[in-house]
Amino acid sequence: DGRRRYAALQEAKISDANVTVLPAKSPTEAYLAALVANENRESNNAHELALAFEKLVAEGKKNRDISKACGKTEGYVSQHRAILRTPDYVQKAIRNGDLPPSATRILVKLNYEEDQAFYDKIATAMIEGNINLEEAAVKVDMHLEQKEGKESGKGKKKSAAKTKAETLTQTVANKGY
């Protein structure tokens, strides 16, 4: 905050000003205060927030501490931290604004190593705008149900995801997914 205020004083050609310097409790607290101040002035991109939140967690902060300090929900913090658990090309798409951060809620349901081909197909389709988030969520849920059914060898009752899928099946089918 001081750097911006100092620059404003210089621009206004003011040479004297009263200032109060508040000592931070710790470097982590100072970092958190700077993050909050920057977020209030200008929106950081989702990837920058993910990195900042992850740094704070590595320094001992909990999601609830971060969310409280930032005035956001714990889900907001978790969702942004999840960005860092996605492949580089997904992180780049989020950083560039080609994919919303909320896409991570869908993608983190998949195990990238086990479902790489399906993951890449869904992620690429979202990035290219071929399917929306709701369609992607339905496809992922259906994929996971099919996979679970194969692993257990038994049929399952129709889930809420499958019921929802029935309403989007034609749209998704028309797009080749």
Side-chain angles (χ1 to χ4, degrees):
D1 287 346
R3 182 170 40 105
R4 292 175 190 270
R5 289 188 177 104
Y6 179 69
L9 289 169
Q10 284 183 317
E11 186 176 316
K13 298 186 182 352
I14 298 173
S15 59
D16 292 327
N18 291 326
V19 297
T20 303
V21 178
L22 302 173
K25 294 178 182 173
S26 70
T28 302
E29 292 296 327
Y31 183 78
L32 182 56
L35 175 66
V36 171
N38 287 336
E39 184 63 16
N40 288 332
R41 266 194 298 280
E42 58 190 58
S43 288
N44 295 314
N45 77 43
H47 191 260
E48 290 170 336
L49 286 175
L51 293 169
F53 293 160
E54 199 63 29
K55 179 179 178 179
L56 289 166
V57 168
E59 293 176 2
K61 293 290 182 188
K62 303 276 187 232
N63 281 359
R64 77 175 156 271
D65 302 327
I66 299 166
S67 66
K68 193 174 186 179
C70 294
K72 305 291 185 185
T73 65
E74 285 185 55
Y76 179 88
V77 174
S78 295
Q79 178 180 303
H80 280 74
R81 288 184 58 219
I83 292 169
L84 301 178
R85 293 193 313 266
T86 63
D88 290 341
Y89 76 95
V90 172
Q91 291 182 41
K92 182 179 178 184
I94 291 170
R95 192 171 42 249
N96 293 340
D98 297 328
L99 192 63
S102 56
T104 59
R105 285 193 315 251
I106 299 163
L107 295 172
V108 297
K109 291 180 181 181
L110 299 169
N111 181 320
Y112 185 71
E113 286 75 31
E114 292 177 12
D115 291 318
Q116 186 173 354
F118 180 76
Y119 187 110
D120 289 340
K121 185 176 182 179
I122 290 295
T124 301
M126 286 191 294
I127 292 167
E128 293 175 353
N130 295 330
I131 61 174
N132 63 37
L133 296 182
E134 186 176 15
E135 293 166 337
V138 169
K139 292 301 292 175
V140 167
D141 289 345
M142 288 174 54
H143 174 79
L144 293 172
E145 284 181 8
Q146 289 173 350
K147 186 176 175 181
E148 188 177 306
K150 287 179 185 175
E151 289 173 0
S152 69
K154 299 177 183 176
K156 291 177 64 177
K157 287 184 181 179
K158 189 186 289 186
S159 69
K162 199 165 195 173
T163 302
K164 189 172 185 178
E166 290 171 353
T167 63
L168 290 172
T169 300
Q170 191 59 41
T171 304
V172 173
N174 288 342
K175 293 183 180 184
Y177 293 92

Coordinates of all heavy atoms in Angstrom, one line a residue, residues 6 10-11 24 32-33 41 59 61 65 68-69 76 79 83 98 102 104 114 117-118 124 148 150 155 163 165:
Y6 N 3.0 6.5 -1.9 CA 4.2 7.3 -2.2 C 4.2 7.8 -3.6 O 4.5 9.0 -3.8 CB 5.5 6.5 -1.9 CG 6.7 7.2 -2.1 CD1 7.1 8.3 -1.3 CD2 7.6 6.9 -3.2 CE1 8.3 9.0 -1.5 CE2 8.8 7.6 -3.4 CZ 9.1 8.6 -2.5 OH 10.3 9.3 -2.7
Q10 N 4.1 11.7 -4.9 CA 5.1 12.3 -5.8 C 4.4 12.9 -7.0 O 4.8 14.0 -7.4 CB 6.1 11.2 -6.3 CG 7.1 10.8 -5.3 CD 8.1 9.8 -5.8 OE1 7.7 8.8 -6.5 NE2 9.4 9.9 -5.6
E11 N 3.4 12.3 -7.5 CA 2.7 12.8 -8.7 C 2.0 14.1 -8.3 O 1.9 15.0 -9.1 CB 1.7 11.8 -9.1 CG 1.0 12.2 -10.4 CD 0.0 11.1 -10.9 OE1 0.4 9.9 -10.9 OE2 -1.1 11.4 -11.3
A24 N 3.8 -5.8 10.6 CA 3.1 -7.1 10.3 C 3.5 -8.1 11.5 O 4.6 -8.0 12.0 CB 3.5 -7.7 9.0
L32 N -0.3 -12.0 3.3 CA -1.7 -12.1 3.2 C -2.4 -10.7 3.1 O -3.3 -10.5 2.3 CB -2.3 -12.8 4.4 CG -3.8 -13.1 4.5 CD1 -4.3 -13.8 3.3 CD2 -4.1 -13.8 5.8
A33 N -1.8 -9.8 3.9 CA -2.3 -8.4 3.8 C -2.1 -7.8 2.4 O -3.0 -7.1 1.9 CB -1.7 -7.5 4.9
R41 N -7.9 -3.8 -4.9 CA -7.7 -2.8 -5.9 C -7.9 -3.2 -7.3 O -8.5 -2.5 -8.1 CB -6.2 -2.3 -5.8 CG -6.0 -1.1 -4.9 CD -4.7 -0.5 -5.1 NE -3.6 -1.4 -4.7 CZ -3.2 -1.7 -3.5 NH1 -3.8 -1.1 -2.5 NH2 -2.2 -2.5 -3.3
E59 N 2.6 -22.0 4.2 CA 3.2 -21.3 5.4 C 2.3 -21.5 6.6 O 2.5 -20.8 7.6 CB 3.3 -19.8 5.0 CG 4.4 -19.6 4.0 CD 4.6 -18.2 3.5 OE1 3.9 -17.3 4.1 OE2 5.4 -17.9 2.7
K61 N -1.3 -21.5 6.8 CA -2.6 -20.9 6.8 C -3.6 -22.0 6.4 O -3.3 -22.9 5.6 CB -2.8 -19.7 5.9 CG -2.0 -18.5 6.4 CD -2.7 -17.9 7.7 CE -1.9 -16.7 8.2 NZ -2.4 -16.3 9.5
D65 N -8.9 -19.5 7.1 CA -8.1 -18.2 7.4 C -8.0 -17.3 6.2 O -8.2 -16.1 6.3 CB -6.7 -18.6 8.0 CG -6.7 -19.5 9.2 OD1 -7.7 -19.4 10.0 OD2 -5.8 -20.3 9.3
K68 N -11.5 -15.9 5.1 CA -11.9 -14.9 6.0 C -11.2 -13.6 5.8 O -11.8 -12.5 5.7 CB -11.7 -15.3 7.5 CG -12.4 -14.5 8.5 CD -12.2 -15.2 9.9 CE -13.0 -14.4 10.9 NZ -12.9 -15.0 12.2
A69 N -9.9 -13.7 5.6 CA -9.0 -12.5 5.4 C -9.4 -11.8 4.0 O -9.4 -10.6 3.9 CB -7.6 -12.8 5.4
Y76 N -14.3 -20.9 -2.6 CA -13.6 -20.0 -3.6 C -12.1 -20.3 -3.5 O -11.4 -20.5 -4.5 CB -13.9 -18.6 -3.3 CG -13.2 -17.6 -4.1 CD1 -13.7 -17.1 -5.3 CD2 -11.9 -17.0 -3.7 CE1 -13.1 -16.2 -6.1 CE2 -11.3 -16.0 -4.5 CZ -11.9 -15.6 -5.7 OH -11.3 -14.7 -6.5
Q79 N -11.4 -23.9 -4.7 CA -11.5 -24.0 -6.2 C -10.2 -23.4 -6.8 O -9.7 -24.0 -7.8 CB -12.7 -23.2 -6.6 CG -12.9 -23.2 -8.1 CD -14.1 -22.4 -8.5 OE1 -15.2 -22.8 -8.1 NE2 -14.0 -21.4 -9.3
I83 N -6.8 -25.4 -9.1 CA -6.2 -25.1 -10.5 C -4.8 -25.6 -10.6 O -4.4 -26.2 -11.6 CB -6.1 -23.5 -10.7 CG1 -7.6 -23.0 -10.8 CG2 -5.3 -23.2 -11.9 CD1 -7.7 -21.5 -10.8
D98 N -9.2 -18.4 -21.2 CA -9.9 -19.3 -22.1 C -10.8 -20.3 -21.4 O -11.6 -21.0 -22.1 CB -8.9 -20.0 -23.0 CG -8.1 -19.0 -23.9 OD1 -8.6 -18.0 -24.2 OD2 -6.9 -19.3 -24.1
S102 N -13.9 -22.2 -12.5 CA -14.9 -23.2 -12.0 C -14.8 -24.5 -12.8 O -15.3 -25.5 -12.3 CB -16.3 -22.6 -12.2 OG -16.5 -22.2 -13.5
T104 N -12.3 -26.3 -12.9 CA -11.5 -27.2 -12.1 C -12.4 -28.1 -11.3 O -12.0 -29.2 -11.0 CB -10.5 -26.5 -11.2 OG1 -11.2 -25.6 -10.4 CG2 -9.5 -25.7 -12.0
E114 N -5.1 -41.9 -14.8 CA -5.9 -43.0 -15.2 C -6.8 -42.7 -16.4 O -7.2 -43.6 -17.1 CB -6.8 -43.4 -14.0 CG -6.1 -44.1 -12.9 CD -7.0 -44.4 -11.7 OE1 -8.2 -44.4 -11.8 OE2 -6.4 -44.7 -10.6
A117 N -6.8 -39.7 -21.6 CA -7.5 -39.5 -22.9 C -8.8 -38.8 -22.8 O -9.1 -37.8 -23.5 CB -7.6 -40.8 -23.7
F118 N -9.6 -39.3 -21.8 CA -10.9 -38.7 -21.6 C -10.8 -37.3 -21.0 O -11.5 -36.3 -21.5 CB -11.8 -39.5 -20.7 CG -13.2 -39.0 -20.4 CD1 -14.2 -39.1 -21.3 CD2 -13.4 -38.3 -19.2 CE1 -15.4 -38.5 -21.1 CE2 -14.7 -37.8 -18.9 CZ -15.7 -37.9 -19.9
T124 N -10.1 -30.0 -23.5 CA -9.9 -29.4 -24.8 C -11.2 -28.9 -25.4 O -11.3 -27.8 -25.9 CB -9.2 -30.3 -25.8 OG1 -8.0 -30.7 -25.3 CG2 -9.0 -29.7 -27.2
E148 N -17.2 -46.8 -12.6 CA -17.5 -47.4 -11.4 C -18.4 -48.7 -11.6 O -18.1 -49.7 -10.9 CB -18.3 -46.5 -10.5 CG -18.5 -47.0 -9.1 CD -19.2 -45.9 -8.2 OE1 -18.7 -44.8 -8.1 OE2 -20.3 -46.3 -7.6
K150 N -18.3 -50.7 -14.2 CA -17.4 -51.7 -14.8 C -16.5 -52.3 -13.7 O -16.3 -53.5 -13.6 CB -16.5 -51.1 -15.8 CG -17.2 -50.8 -17.1 CD -16.3 -50.2 -18.2 CE -17.0 -49.8 -19.4 NZ -16.1 -49.2 -20.4
G155 N -24.9 -53.3 -11.9 CA -25.6 -52.1 -12.3 C -26.0 -51.3 -11.1 O -26.0 -51.8 -10.0
T163 N -29.9 -38.7 -14.5 CA -31.2 -38.1 -14.8 C -30.9 -36.8 -15.5 O -31.6 -36.5 -16.5 CB -32.0 -37.9 -13.5 OG1 -32.2 -39.1 -12.9 CG2 -33.4 -37.2 -13.9
A165 N -28.3 -36.0 -17.1 CA -27.7 -36.3 -18.4 C -28.7 -36.6 -19.5 O -28.5 -36.2 -20.6 CB -26.7 -37.5 -18.2

